[in-house]
Amino acid sequence: MSTPLWITLLNIFGVLIATVLLAAVLTWGERRLLGFWQDRPGPNRVGPFGTLQVVADMIKLFFKEDFIPRFADIPVFVLAPTVVMATMLIAFAVVPMSPSIGVADLNIGLLFVLAMSSIAVYSIILGGYASNNKYALLGSLRAAAQTVSYEVFMGLSLMGVVMLSGSFNLRDIVDAQAGYWFILPQFLGFIVFFIAGIAESRRTPFDLPEAEHELTAGFHTEYSGMKFGMFFVGEYLAVILISALITTLFLGGWHGPWLPPIVWFCLKTAFLVALFILLRASLPRPRYDQLMKFGWKVMLPLSLVNLLATAGILLWIA
Amino acid sequence: MPTITIDGEKYQVDGEQNLLNTCLSLGLDIPYFCWHPAMGSVGACRQCAMIEYKGKEDQSGRLIISCMTPIRDGAIYSIEAEAAETFRGSIIENLMINHPHDCPVCEEGGECHLQDMTEMSGHTLRRYRGTKRTHRNQYLGPFINHEMNRCITCYRCVRFYDDYAGGMDLQALGRNDQVYFGRQEEGRLENGFSGNLVEVCPTGVFTDKTFSAHFVRKWDLQTAPSICEHCAVGCNTAPGAREPGNGHEPILRRVINLYHRDINGYFLCDRGRFGYEYINSATRIEKVFSARHETVISSTAQSGDRLHREVAPQKALLHLAQQISAAQDNRRHMLGIGSPRTSLENNFALRQLVGPENFFSGLNQRDQELLQLVNNIQSDNRILCPTTPEIEAADAVFILAEDIYNTAPRISLAIRQAARNRQKQQAQSLKIPLWQDASVRQLEGNGSPIIFAGTELTDLENIASTTLFETPEKVAQFARSLALLLSNPENAQTGLEPQQQEIAVHAAEILRNAKNPLIISGTSSKHAEILHAAAQIATTLSEQKTVPVMLYLACDEVNSLGLSQFFSGESGYLEQLLQTLREREQSEVPTTLIVLENDLYRRLDRKSLAHLFEHIDEVVLLDTLFHSTSKRADWIFPAAATAESQGTVVNANGLAQRFYAIYEGKGFIQESWRWLVDAVEFCTEKSGALSQITSWKHSTDLSEAIAREFKTLEVLNVLGPDENYRIDGLKVARQSGRYSGRTAVHAQEHVSEEPPIQDPDAPMNFSMEGIHNPDKTQLQANIWSPGWNSNQSINKFQEQIGGERKGGPSGLAIKRSKHPMPEWITPAKETATEELPDIPNPVQMQPVYRLFGSGELSNQSKCIVEATEAPFVLINLAEAKIPGIHDGQPIELVTSCGTYRAEARSAPTIPPGNVGVPYGLPGLETLTPLLPGYASLRPAEASASIED
Amino acid sequence: MIASQIRSLWLVFKHLFRRNVTVQYPDQKPYLAPRYRGRIILTRDPNGDERCVACNLCAVACPPDCISLQKTEDPDGRWRPAYFRINFSRCIMCGLCEDACPTYAIQLTPDFEMCEYDRQNMVYEKEDLLIDGPGKYHDYSFYQVAGKAIRGKGKGEAQNEAEPIDIKSLNL
C-alpha cells in the first residue's frame, strides 16, 4: 500500500523481463553447458562465446513460416502454447527474490505456484490434441498422466516446509529460514520436490511427453516458428521457476552472508538450473511404466513418510 | 510309399523317382548340373553325390550319385556327411578349373546355376594355377550368344536341343577335356526352341543376345505373370522390364518362361521368347495422331493413305467424345471392329460402347466360322482338350492338316515327347526307370506312331511314321474316310485311291489300338471340312473307347477363342459389316468406325476394304503398331501391348488366363479400353450404357461385367484377385528385393524420388514393396529362393518336381455348355465341282506357316526379322513343270488384288496345281485374306516393278 | 541404483574440465589418412580404358540404392556403362561398392567435402567420376585375366590361358 506505483511497476516489469530474458539466455546456456559436458564447444560462433546465438535463434524463430496444419483444431492450436508461457510467468509473481523484489505478496503463494504449474499442463494437452497427430496426442496423454501423478507428492513434499514455517506465504517461508535452511530438516522433502519438479517441467530424464526417439517430437510435433518458441521458452521458464522455488523453499531464499540478497538468490537459482542441465547431460530417459511405478510406489510413500515424520516431530517438540 | 531317412529325418516319398529328384521335392538343397526336371538323369557331372549307409551301425557308408539312384525303402542317406561334401567340393573345383574369370561380363551372372552350385558346395577358392583351356566362339544367329569358355560339359544343351527338341545342328564336338558344343559351321541355330538353351544351360555358354543388347541383371527386372501373345497356346511368361536411366520410361528387356505345368512347362518357343521386341520397335504407336487434311504438294504415300501428325490426347478424346455423343442422338453411326489379338476386356469395352449390334469381330466370315466350329467341337462331351502333359502321354498321334510346329510350336514339342512313348513302354517292361534318360533313349525300335495328312509338315517330319501330302480338300476326304473306317472297318466305302486307302487302313488300325490316341488339327488350313473330319474321327474313337478322346485344335491368335465367345450364330464377321454399310448407303447419317488392335488388311482383301473405307467417314484406330490399316485411320490412339496392360485371354484349349502389366507403357500409351472410357468421360450427356462405361475404373471391373454378360465367361469373376486383394496386408511386389538404383535411376532429372506409379488393376506394386515369395501367390513371377538365383529355383515352388506350381494352376477353363455336336453331314459342297478360274497358269494358293514370319506382332521384332525368310512360294517343281520357273528364281503371283513377287522354292510335298504361300510373311501380308484361293503364276520379268 | 545415477552425474560433470574432442571444422581440418575412404571415383586400366564393365554389382550392393548404370557393349567387345550415375546426396560412404567391384574400377578417395546449395549438383555422372589413372592398383587389367575376348586380346591370350582348341583338328 505504501510502495509507490513506479516501484510496483518496476517490480512487475523487471521480474517479467528478467525472467523472459533469462529463459532465452538459457537456451544458449544449456547448449553451451551440454557441449562442455560432451567434450565439444557448443554454440560459439555468434558473438562473444556465442552469446548472440540467442538473438540469432530469435530472429530465426520469428521469421520461420508460421505453419498451421490443415487438419489441426486451429483456435486451440494457436492458443495452447500461450498457456504454458502465461502460467509460468504468472507463477513468478509470488516468488520473492529479495526483501524488496517480488511482485505479489500472497498469503497462499505456495498454493498459487502449485496451481499455476498444474494449469501449465493444459497447454500441452491442448496442443497435443489440437495437432490432430498421433504422436502429439500420445505425448500429451503422457504429459497429463505424468503431471497428475507427480503433482500429488509435489504438493505433499512441501507440506513439511509449510509445517515448519507455519505459512503458505513464500516470504514468510524465506524469513523462517533465516537461521537454518529447510533443506536440513526437510532433506527428504527437498529430494522429492526436486524430482517432482523435473517431472513437472518435463525435463530429461522425465521428458516422456516429447520422447523424440519414439514420438518424433511428442506434443509439439506439429508446431513451428514462434509457437514452437513459446513451448520452448515455457520449458525454460519452468526450469527457472522450479529452481527459484527450491531456492525459496529449501535453500533459504535470499539469505546469505556478505553479498546482497538478490545475488544470493540468483546464485542459488543458477546453481540449480545448472544441476537441471547436468541431469539432462547424464541421465537416460526411463520407460513410461518405470516413470509411473517410480512416482506411485517410491515417491508418494516417501513424501507421506516425510509428512508424517515432520508432523510427528513437530508435535513431539511442541 | 517307401520311407527313407536323410540326415536323420524320416520321409515318406514317391518311390518312382530317383533320389535327387526326391530330395529336391522335399525341399532339400543338393547341387546338380546335368539332371534337368524335364530331361531326367544321365549321371554325367557327379555333382549330386550323397552317402548311403547299409544300416544304423554303418558309420562310413558309400558314395552314391543321387540322380542315378532309385529310392530304396528303408534306406539311410546323407547329404551333409563330410565325405559327400568333400567329394562335391572337389567335383566343382574340377569343373571350375577352366572356367574363365568373367562373371562380371557374363549375362548369366546373378542368375547362374553354376554360381549357385559353387556357393552351395562351399568351394569358393581357386587353387588351380595352371593354364586354362580356351575355345573360340561361334556366331549362332540373332537370338543366341555363344561363349564356349564358360562350358562345364554337362551336356544339357545337346540333350535338350537334339534329344528333347529334335534339333539337328548343335553337336558335341571334340573329346575329353576339349569337348565343344556348337555347330559344324557358324550360323543360326535352326530349331525353333533354341532360346531354351539360355535357360537350360547352367552357366553362360548360351545367353540371350536380344537381352544382352539392353542388359540388366535379374534382380533389376520388374516382372509380373504374363501370357505369350504370339499364338493361341497361351504359354505363361515372365517378361522383365526396367527404366533405361536416361530419362525415358521403362522398356521391356526380355521374356523368360514362367512355369505352368499344363501349358508350357519349362520351355518356350523362339517366337514367344524373342518376339517381345515389337514392343520397343520403331513401328510402335506411342503418341496420339490425327490425319492431316490439308493438301500436300507431293508425297510418297499412296492415294487414300493419310498423313498423320501428332495431336494432344485431349483434343483427340474430345473429338471422339463428340462422335460418341452424336451417335447417342442418332446423328451418327458408330461401328466397332474387335480383335482376336487383344484381351476380352478391350473387346468388351468397344462392344459396350458401340452396342452389340454394331460390334464386329474383326474376322472374316471363314475365320469366324472356323472358330465357332472349334468352339462347338470342344463343347462336345466326347472331346477332351489335352493339356501338354496329356499330349506328352499320347501313344498315337494323328495330325490333320496342321503344321503344328509353325502354328502352335509348344504343342509340337509336346508331340515330340509323345513320340517317345513306345520307347518308354519298352523301358518299363525292361524295368528301366524312365528318369534313366540315357538308357531309355538307347532302346531300339520305332517311335510311337505319328500320322500326318496335310500340305506341309515342318520339324516333326523326321519322327512322323506315316505322311500324306495332299490338298486340304483331299485331306478332308481322306480324314472322313478314316472316320468311316474307324466306325465300320470291314466294309467302308471310302472311294479313296488305293495308296491312300492303305494309309487310311493303317492309320485306323493304329488309332483303334492306341490306348491314348491324340488328334491334332486346327484352323490354319482355313478349311471347315478338315475340322469336321477331325471331330468325326475323335468322336468315333471316343464312342468305341467310351472315354473322351484328346483332340487339340490349334487356333490362330492369342484370344481367337475368347473373341468368338462374344458372337453366336451368323453374326459379327466383317462381310456382314460390309453388308450393313451397303444397306446404309442411302443414309445421310455419317459413319465412324472404331478399329481395335486389328490390321484389316490381314482379314479382308483390298477390294472389299476399299469398298469399306469408301462408306466410312472416319476411322479411329486403337493399336500398338503402325500397319496398313493405320495408314487409313483418321485418328490413332496408342494402345498398350500385352506387357503393359492387364487383361484376360482364352487359349485354344478354352483356358481363360489373365496377364498382368509388367510396367506402365511409355507416355500416353494406355489400354484401349481406357481410351474408350476416357472418351466417354468427355461426353457431356451419358445414356445408361455410357454411364456403365464410365463406372469402369479397374480392369477387373470389366472382367466382372463380362462375367455377368456371358455365361461361358463366368470364370472371369474368379480368375484372379481384384485390385483390393492383399496378402498379410500387402500387395505383391513386381521388383525383387534387391532392385537397385532406386535413388539414382531418375536422379539426373530430379534428385528427389517420386512415389511409384500405382497400379489400378492388380494388387501389385511397381516397386519392391510387398510380397516376394512365389509360394504365397501365383502373381509373383520373379522366381527366386535363397541360394537359388537361377531359374532352377522353380523346384522350390512346385508341389513336387515337375508338378503343379504350389497354390494350384493359374487359369480356368471357360464354361461352355456341353452339347453333342450335330451329326456331321458332309455338305454337298460346290467346292468339288469348283471351276478353275479362267486365268493363265492357275494355281491354288495354300497357306503355309512360318514360326518367324506368320506372327503379326513378332514380325516387328528386330531379331525375328533377321531370322525371317524373304518372300517365297513353295512349288512342287518336280511334278508341276511350269516353263520358266526354277528353284530359287523369282516368280510373280497375279491375284485379284495385285501382283506379288517372291522366290520360287521347290517343295516336293506340295501337291501339283497348288503353291504354298507363307501366311503373313512380311511382303506378302496383304495376300493373307486370299489364302486359300486362286492365283496365276508366272516367271518374274526382270524389269517388272513390284506392285504391292 | 541411486549410486549409479549419482556416479554418472559425477562422471559427466568431470567432463567440464576435459579438452574438446571436436575441432572447429572449416577453420581447422582434422587429419585424414591417405587411404581415407570418402567418395568414389572410377579408374582406368593401365591402357587408359575404363575399368568399369557395368556388371551392376556395386548397384546391388549399395544400401541406399544410390548407384545406377546401364550396360552397353562396345564394338571392340568390351562391356562398358552407357551411363554410370551416383546420387551422392543419398550416399552413406559405406564403401560396399568398392568391395563389390570385381575390376577395381570403383575406388574410394579422401574427398568427403561435397557441399552444394542445390541437391541436384550431388548427382555425379560417369564423366564426373572417371579419373585418368589406375588408382591404387597400377597393373590390374580385368580383360587380361578374364576369358572374354576383346579386340586386341583374342581367346587364349589372357593370363594363364592355353591356345584355343581347334575343334576341326585331328590332333585333339
Side-chain angles (χ1 to χ4, degrees):
Chain A
M1 300 303 131
S2 58
T3 33
L5 181 67
W6 69 272
I7 290 190
T8 315
L9 285 178
L10 188 71
N11 234 332
I12 292 172
F13 287 102
V15 169
L16 180 70
I17 290 166
T19 44
V20 172
L21 277 183
L22 265 176
V25 171
L26 205 48
T27 61
W28 164 79
E30 169 159 43
R31 275 182 282 169
R32 200 64 216 224
L33 272 176
L34 282 178
F36 288 144
W37 279 317
Q38 290 165 359
D39 290 348
R40 58 185 176 85
N44 66 346
R45 319 280 305 173
V46 196
F49 303 106
T51 40
L52 293 184
Q53 185 68 43
V54 182
V55 181
D57 283 350
M58 294 270 277
I59 293 171
K60 184 189 79 172
L61 278 177
F62 273 115
F63 286 94
K64 273 248 165 125
E65 185 193 353
D66 193 11
F67 180 76
I68 298 175
R70 269 186 303 108
F71 43 78
D73 183 345
I74 292 167
V76 182
F77 186 83
V78 173
L79 283 176
T82 60
V83 175
V84 65
M85 196 141 158
T87 51
M88 284 300 153
L89 286 173
I90 291 169
F92 269 103
V94 294
V95 178
M97 296 179 188
S98 79
S100 55
I101 307 175
V103 179
D105 186 8
L106 210 59
N107 56 1
I108 50 155
L110 193 57
L111 291 181
F112 181 76
V113 171
L114 289 177
M116 281 302 143
S117 81
S118 308
I119 290 176
V121 80
Y122 280 94
S123 171
I124 286 157
I125 293 169
L126 293 176
Y129 146 77
S131 297
N132 206 354
N133 168 320
K134 55 188 155 197
Y135 292 124
L137 187 66
L138 280 173
S140 59
L141 285 175
R142 285 182 180 190
Q146 184 175 325
T147 311
V148 165
S149 316
Y150 277 65
E151 227 160 42
V152 176
F153 51 83
M154 188 183 193
L156 282 176
S157 67
L158 295 180
M159 287 310 114
V161 175
V162 175
M163 278 183 240
L164 285 178
S165 62
S167 169
F168 278 111
N169 188 321
L170 290 172
R171 273 179 193 280
D172 294 347
I173 293 175
V174 175
D175 284 335
Q177 296 180 75
Y180 60 98
W181 295 352
F182 283 162
I183 188 171
L184 296 175
Q186 283 297 311
F187 187 71
L188 205 56
F190 164 73
I191 296 291
V192 172
F193 181 74
F194 185 64
I195 290 172
I198 302 170
E200 280 290 297
S201 57
R202 293 166 297 280
R203 293 276 308 175
T204 342
F206 297 134
D207 63 341
L208 280 104
E210 53 177 279
E212 54 279 275
H213 297 114
E214 338 156 18
L215 298 183
T216 315
F219 61 91
H220 61 65
T221 304
E222 299 290 349
Y223 280 91
S224 62
M226 209 46 221
K227 287 205 267 308
F228 164 74
M230 279 197 261
F231 273 127
F232 203 49
V233 169
E235 185 183 317
Y236 285 111
L237 282 175
V239 171
I240 299 172
L241 179 68
I242 298 292
S243 303
L245 273 178
I246 293 173
T247 308
T248 311
L249 297 171
F250 296 99
L251 300 183
W254 59 74
H255 291 294
W258 309 304
L259 295 170
I262 180 68
V263 176
W264 271 115
F265 181 84
C266 290
L267 273 178
K268 288 173 188 172
T269 309
F271 170 77
L272 285 167
V273 169
L275 193 60
F276 265 88
I277 296 169
L278 180 61
L279 280 172
R280 173 170 177 190
S282 37
L283 295 186
R285 180 187 303 130
R287 256 191 350 250
Y288 184 65
D289 59 318
Q290 290 171 334
L291 175 90
M292 282 301 170
K293 208 163 100 181
F294 183 66
W296 289 105
K297 293 196 176 165
V298 181
M299 299 315 275
L300 183 64
L302 269 183
S303 57
L304 285 172
V305 167
N306 180 46
L307 185 65
L308 284 173
T310 313
I313 291 168
L314 279 179
L315 276 175
W316 185 60
I317 291 171
Chain B
M1 284 214 332
T3 308
I4 56 169
T5 311
I6 303 173
D7 287 321
E9 291 281 325
K10 277 201 158 64
Y11 301 97
Q12 286 238 320
V13 296
D14 166 23
E16 293 294 299
Q17 288 301 337
N18 59 55
L19 182 56
L20 173 64
N21 188 314
T22 309
C23 287
L24 292 170
S25 282
L26 292 171
L28 303 172
D29 283 346
I30 179 155
Y32 62 87
F33 286 114
C34 63
W35 176 84
H36 186 282
M39 294 188 286
S41 319
V42 289
C45 71
R46 321 309 280 174
Q47 185 61 65
C48 58
M50 285 169 66
I51 298 283
E52 180 176 3
Y53 298 99
K54 280 191 197 125
K56 286 208 173 99
E57 305 75 40
D58 185 3
Q59 291 300 310
S60 52
R62 68 190 177 97
L63 211 53
I64 48 165
I65 301 305
S66 63
C67 73
M68 300 301 280
T69 307
I71 293 287
R72 192 165 56 77
D73 193 13
I76 304 170
Y77 303 106
S78 172
I79 299 173
E80 290 165 3
E82 203 188 329
E85 275 188 1
T86 320
F87 181 81
R88 294 195 299 257
S90 64
I91 290 292
I92 198 108
E93 180 165 20
N94 285 322
L95 287 177
M96 293 291 284
I97 274 182
N98 291 313
H99 198 70
H101 178 82
D102 65 356
C103 293
V105 290
C106 175
E107 289 88 344
E108 193 88 353
E111 53 177 324
C112 176
H113 190 59
L114 179 60
Q115 280 178 344
D116 290 348
M117 297 300 107
T118 309
E119 284 291 321
M120 192 183 288
S121 47
H123 167 80
T124 49
L125 192 76
R126 176 187 286 277
R127 291 188 294 173
Y128 175 72
R129 289 282 173 264
T131 56
K132 294 180 190 174
R133 172 266 288 140
T134 59
H135 284 295
R136 289 187 209 285
N137 301 331
Q138 285 182 328
Y139 169 78
L140 296 180
F143 303 138
I144 304 285
N145 209 4
H146 194 219
E147 186 65 44
M148 200 38 221
N149 276 356
R150 297 172 185 149
C151 182
I152 55 163
T153 355
C154 71
Y155 278 74
R156 264 196 195 182
C157 51
V158 288
R159 287 178 60 219
F160 170 75
Y161 193 86
D162 296 359
D163 298 351
Y164 193 91
M168 309 291 254
D169 54 337
L170 181 77
Q171 281 97 22
L173 310 165
R175 63 176 166 82
N176 61 48
D177 73 331
Q178 298 166 332
V179 175
Y180 186 91
F181 296 98
R183 287 166 56 91
Q184 286 185 337
E185 50 188 23
E186 296 200 334
R188 180 166 76 80
L189 285 171
E190 280 156 13
N191 191 277
F193 301 97
S194 66
N196 293 302
L197 291 174
V198 175
E199 292 192 46
V200 163
C201 177
T203 173
V205 177
F206 300 100
T207 49
D208 184 336
K209 211 177 240 182
T210 67
F211 181 37
S212 186
H214 36 230
F215 180 72
V216 291
R217 299 273 173 212
K218 179 187 182 184
W219 59 71
D220 280 343
L221 286 168
Q222 173 173 305
T223 186
S226 192
I227 306 296
C228 177
E229 66 269 48
H230 299 292
C231 79
V233 176
C235 293
N236 285 217
T237 57
R242 184 180 164 86
E243 308 92 321
N246 53 6
H248 295 255
E249 280 158 86
I251 56 165
L252 191 59
R253 307 280 185 147
R254 71 160 176 193
V255 167
I256 54 165
N257 181 63
L258 181 63
Y259 182 82
H260 190 298
R261 188 195 64 170
D262 291 344
I263 303 173
N264 45 315
Y266 295 91
F267 306 115
L268 286 182
C269 74
D270 286 359
R271 191 201 279 181
R273 187 180 296 268
F274 302 112
Y276 73 92
E277 277 195 312
Y278 80 92
I279 287 182
N280 305 327
S281 74
T283 41
R284 187 72 203 275
I285 303 174
E286 289 175 5
K287 295 182 175 107
V288 184
F289 295 96
S290 82
R292 298 156 63 137
H293 291 292
E294 61 265 39
T295 29
V296 191
I297 296 166
S298 80
S299 151
T300 52
Q302 293 180 0
S303 64
D305 285 2
R306 305 273 193 273
L307 294 169
H308 294 104
R309 65 151 171 243
E310 197 190 324
V311 289
Q314 289 85 345
K315 198 180 151 194
L317 282 173
L318 202 60
H319 178 83
L320 187 53
Q322 282 162 0
Q323 310 241 328
I324 294 170
S325 299
Q328 258 189 114
D329 310 339
N330 292 326
R331 285 181 286 119
R332 195 172 257 284
H333 286 305
M334 189 162 268
L335 301 169
I337 294 183
S339 165
R341 68 164 155 87
T342 187
S343 65
L344 289 173
E345 282 80 359
N346 284 337
N347 278 305
F348 184 72
L350 181 59
R351 179 182 181 271
Q352 295 307 98
L353 179 71
V354 297
E357 68 285 355
N358 292 324
F359 180 64
F360 298 88
S361 67
L363 297 169
N364 55 36
Q365 180 173 7
R366 190 189 51 218
D367 285 354
Q368 190 171 329
E369 281 173 357
L370 285 172
L371 283 177
Q372 271 160 1
L373 195 53
V374 169
N375 198 31
N376 280 332
I377 293 171
Q378 291 182 342
S379 303
D380 192 293
N381 271 326
R382 294 166 289 182
I383 303 291
L384 175 74
C385 294
T387 63
T388 301
E390 283 167 345
I391 292 174
E392 285 172 355
D395 56 356
V397 185
F398 178 56
I399 306 174
L400 188 57
E402 186 74 22
D403 186 11
I404 194 83
Y405 170 79
N406 286 316
T407 56
R410 184 62 187 83
I411 301 302
S412 150
L413 191 62
I415 294 171
R416 188 169 277 283
Q417 309 319 310
R420 291 186 56 223
N421 281 333
R422 195 172 272 182
Q423 210 174 35
K424 286 182 182 167
Q425 279 163 12
Q426 203 186 343
Q428 272 167 333
S429 66
L430 291 171
K431 298 226 161 62
I432 301 173
L434 292 181
W435 44 263
Q436 278 277 18
D437 194 54
S439 315
V440 176
R441 282 185 194 275
Q442 272 174 16
L443 293 173
E444 287 178 7
N446 297 325
S448 301
I450 292 180
I451 305 151
F452 174 81
T455 338
E456 198 197 18
L457 180 67
T458 322
D459 191 57
L460 290 175
E461 61 202 334
N462 53 6
I463 55 165
S465 55
T466 314
T467 51
L468 171 68
F469 294 100
E470 259 306 345
T471 59
E473 289 83 7
K474 296 249 175 76
V475 168
Q477 197 195 347
F478 167 81
R480 273 200 308 276
S481 313
L482 179 58
L484 217 58
L485 276 170
L486 281 170
S487 59
N488 188 3
E490 297 312 314
N491 45 5
Q493 296 299 314
T494 59
L496 287 174
E497 292 163 28
Q499 191 201 349
Q500 290 186 9
Q501 172 78 13
E502 201 179 307
I503 296 175
V505 170
H506 174 64
E509 193 188 317
I510 285 171
L511 290 176
R512 211 179 300 119
N513 295 336
K515 257 191 231 149
N516 236 349
L518 165 69
I519 322 290
I520 303 269
S521 188
T523 59
S524 73
S525 58
K526 310 278 179 202
H527 238 276
E529 294 283 296
I530 298 273
L531 288 176
H532 284 171
Q536 225 173 343
I537 293 172
T539 47
T540 315
L541 273 176
S542 162
E543 270 154 23
Q544 286 177 1
K545 294 182 195 297
T546 63
V547 284
V549 162
M550 297 192 284
L551 171 63
Y552 187 89
L553 297 176
C555 300
D556 265 353
E557 280 157 279
V558 60
N559 200 18
S560 288
L561 211 54
L563 180 67
S564 70
Q565 305 302 317
F566 284 170
F567 300 94
S568 58
E570 300 266 304
S571 71
Y573 43 82
L574 289 173
E575 283 84 351
Q576 275 195 334
L577 172 64
L578 282 172
Q579 187 62 36
T580 315
L581 289 174
R582 241 175 248 129
E583 282 162 13
R584 283 189 184 162
E585 209 159 339
Q586 307 308 326
S587 156
E588 289 292 301
V589 181
T591 312
T592 300
L593 176 69
I594 304 182
V595 183
L596 177 74
E597 307 190 28
N598 207 335
D599 180 7
L600 300 179
Y601 285 85
R602 287 175 75 102
R603 316 285 180 190
L604 277 186
D605 62 277
R606 281 154 173 250
K607 276 183 190 157
S608 314
L609 280 176
H611 183 72
L612 186 145
F613 287 125
E614 223 167 80
H615 291 86
I616 303 274
D617 301 273
E618 199 164 82
V619 180
V620 178
L621 175 73
L622 303 125
D623 210 343
T624 49
L625 299 173
F626 287 108
H627 43 61
S628 311
T629 309
S630 68
K631 290 180 188 157
R632 301 301 306 257
D634 297 282
W635 296 88
I636 301 176
F637 290 91
T642 313
E644 298 156 348
S645 61
Q646 177 172 335
T648 314
V649 290
V650 180
N651 78 359
N653 263 349
L655 193 73
Q657 300 191 91
R658 189 156 291 166
F659 54 89
Y660 295 90
I662 315 304
Y663 63 107
E664 285 279 296
K666 276 182 203 174
F668 298 124
I669 291 174
Q670 61 175 350
E671 292 87 342
S672 297
W673 68 263
R674 285 214 152 87
W675 282 117
L676 298 177
V677 170
D678 284 353
V680 175
E681 297 268 9
F682 271 88
C683 294
T684 41
E685 279 177 38
K686 299 173 190 103
S687 70
L690 292 191
S691 59
Q692 192 212 352
I693 290 177
T694 51
S695 73
W696 296 332
K697 303 283 179 239
H698 316 285
S699 176
T700 42
D701 293 345
L702 276 123
S703 315
E704 282 159 23
I706 297 170
R708 276 195 299 274
E709 185 100 7
F710 297 99
K711 232 179 143 37
T712 49
L713 297 173
E714 257 175 357
V715 291
L716 262 64
N717 247 338
V718 286
L719 194 55
D722 70 5
E723 74 288 348
N724 295 319
Y725 175 75
R726 297 288 182 276
I727 302 162
D728 302 337
L730 293 169
K731 293 187 186 184
V732 179
R734 280 188 174 86
Q735 298 173 354
S736 79
R738 296 174 179 175
Y739 199 83
S740 77
R742 184 174 49 84
T743 64
V745 69
H746 296 298
Q748 97 286 14
E749 301 157 71
H750 40 80
V751 68
S752 53
E753 291 99 44
E754 287 185 342
I757 303 164
Q758 293 297 311
D759 186 348
D761 298 329
M764 301 169 91
N765 281 323
F766 288 110
S767 72
M768 55 178 108
E769 210 179 347
I771 299 292
H772 292 280
N773 187 352
D775 253 354
K776 290 205 166 175
T777 170
Q778 298 280 341
L779 295 181
Q780 183 51 267
N782 179 23
I783 306 297
W784 179 87
S785 171
W788 294 81
N789 297 295
S790 76
N791 58 356
Q792 309 282 318
S793 53
I794 188 67
N795 292 340
K796 297 271 173 196
F797 306 108
Q798 296 167 334
E799 276 167 0
Q800 77 228 28
I801 301 301
E804 206 87 80
R805 193 167 152 189
K806 279 180 192 165
S810 62
L812 289 168
I814 58 171
K815 288 206 183 73
R816 289 173 284 197
S817 55
K818 290 283 176 189
H819 55 81
M821 282 174 281
E823 274 306 308
W824 303 110
I825 306 150
T826 317
K829 280 280 265 209
E830 57 275 21
T831 43
T833 54
E834 199 178 346
E835 297 263 322
L836 283 182
D838 185 22
I839 44 174
N841 273 337
V843 284
Q844 191 169 18
M845 300 184 288
Q846 301 294 351
V848 297
Y849 292 79
R850 285 298 173 263
L851 185 59
F852 308 127
S854 292
E856 184 185 352
L857 297 174
S858 63
N859 278 354
Q860 301 301 326
S861 177
K862 209 167 60 187
C863 57
I864 293 214
V865 169
E866 250 181 86
T868 306
E869 294 155 278
F872 66 91
V873 166
L874 296 181
I875 309 171
N876 191 342
L877 289 173
E879 296 208 15
K881 290 204 164 49
I882 304 167
I885 292 181
H886 306 286
D887 193 15
Q889 296 295 309
I891 53 98
E892 276 173 3
L893 273 178
V894 186
T895 69
S896 56
C897 296
T899 304
Y900 294 85
R901 202 175 162 131
E903 185 193 298
R905 193 171 294 176
S906 177
T909 57
I910 299 289
N914 288 265
V915 291
V917 176
Y919 184 90
L921 195 76
L924 303 176
E925 294 115 322
T926 47
L927 203 47
T928 48
L930 304 176
L931 300 176
Y934 283 98
S936 164
L937 186 68
R938 67 175 187 219
E941 291 155 36
S943 60
S945 62
I946 304 156
E947 286 177 54
D948 187 25
Chain C
M1 188 193 86
I2 295 168
S4 103
Q5 308 289 334
I6 291 170
R7 187 168 151 270
S8 50
L9 281 177
W10 173 242
L11 284 176
V12 172
F13 181 74
K14 278 199 301 185
H15 279 261
L16 199 56
F17 310 106
R18 290 270 188 87
R19 273 178 66 88
N20 287 341
V21 292
T22 55
V23 295
Q24 299 291 300
Y25 166 60
D27 309 331
Q28 288 169 278
K29 295 210 169 164
Y31 169 74
L32 292 186
R35 290 192 136 198
Y36 181 85
R37 289 172 290 191
R39 79 163 171 96
I40 64 163
I41 46 150
L42 289 174
T43 60
R44 293 174 188 274
D45 68 12
N47 294 335
D49 290 310
E50 284 172 37
R51 266 190 181 140
C52 177
V53 297
C55 72
N56 277 293
L57 290 184
C58 48
V60 72
C62 182
D65 282 348
C66 72
I67 301 180
S68 172
L69 64 155
Q70 171 61 52
K71 172 243 166 180
T72 178
E73 204 162 332
D74 277 356
D76 63 3
R78 284 168 182 268
W79 281 30
R80 198 173 53 79
Y83 76 92
F84 184 103
R85 184 177 307 131
I86 175 162
N87 179 354
F88 276 120
S89 75
R90 287 284 186 191
C91 176
I92 56 170
M93 311 249 170
C94 65
L96 286 182
C97 49
E98 187 195 36
D99 268 0
C101 183
T103 67
Y104 294 135
I106 293 184
Q107 296 180 19
L108 301 178
T109 63
D111 178 20
F112 65 91
E113 294 170 306
M114 292 180 293
C115 294
E116 297 286 351
Y117 283 104
D118 184 356
R119 242 178 97 197
Q120 194 64 51
N121 296 335
M122 301 284 276
V123 178
Y124 280 42
E125 296 287 338
K126 186 171 78 177
E127 296 69 30
D128 309 320
L129 296 165
L130 261 180
I131 62 160
D132 282 340
K136 301 168 197 167
Y137 305 94
H138 302 286
D139 306 319
Y140 184 80
S141 172
F142 172 74
Y143 284 106
Q144 290 309 315
V145 294
K148 195 172 166 73
I150 54 165
R151 189 190 295 152
K153 191 219 79 176
K155 291 285 176 196
E157 291 171 16
Q159 287 166 28
N160 279 340
E161 278 191 351
E163 278 288 293
I165 284 158
D166 179 6
I167 45 162
K168 298 208 170 145
S169 142
L170 293 174
N171 200 17
L172 283 173

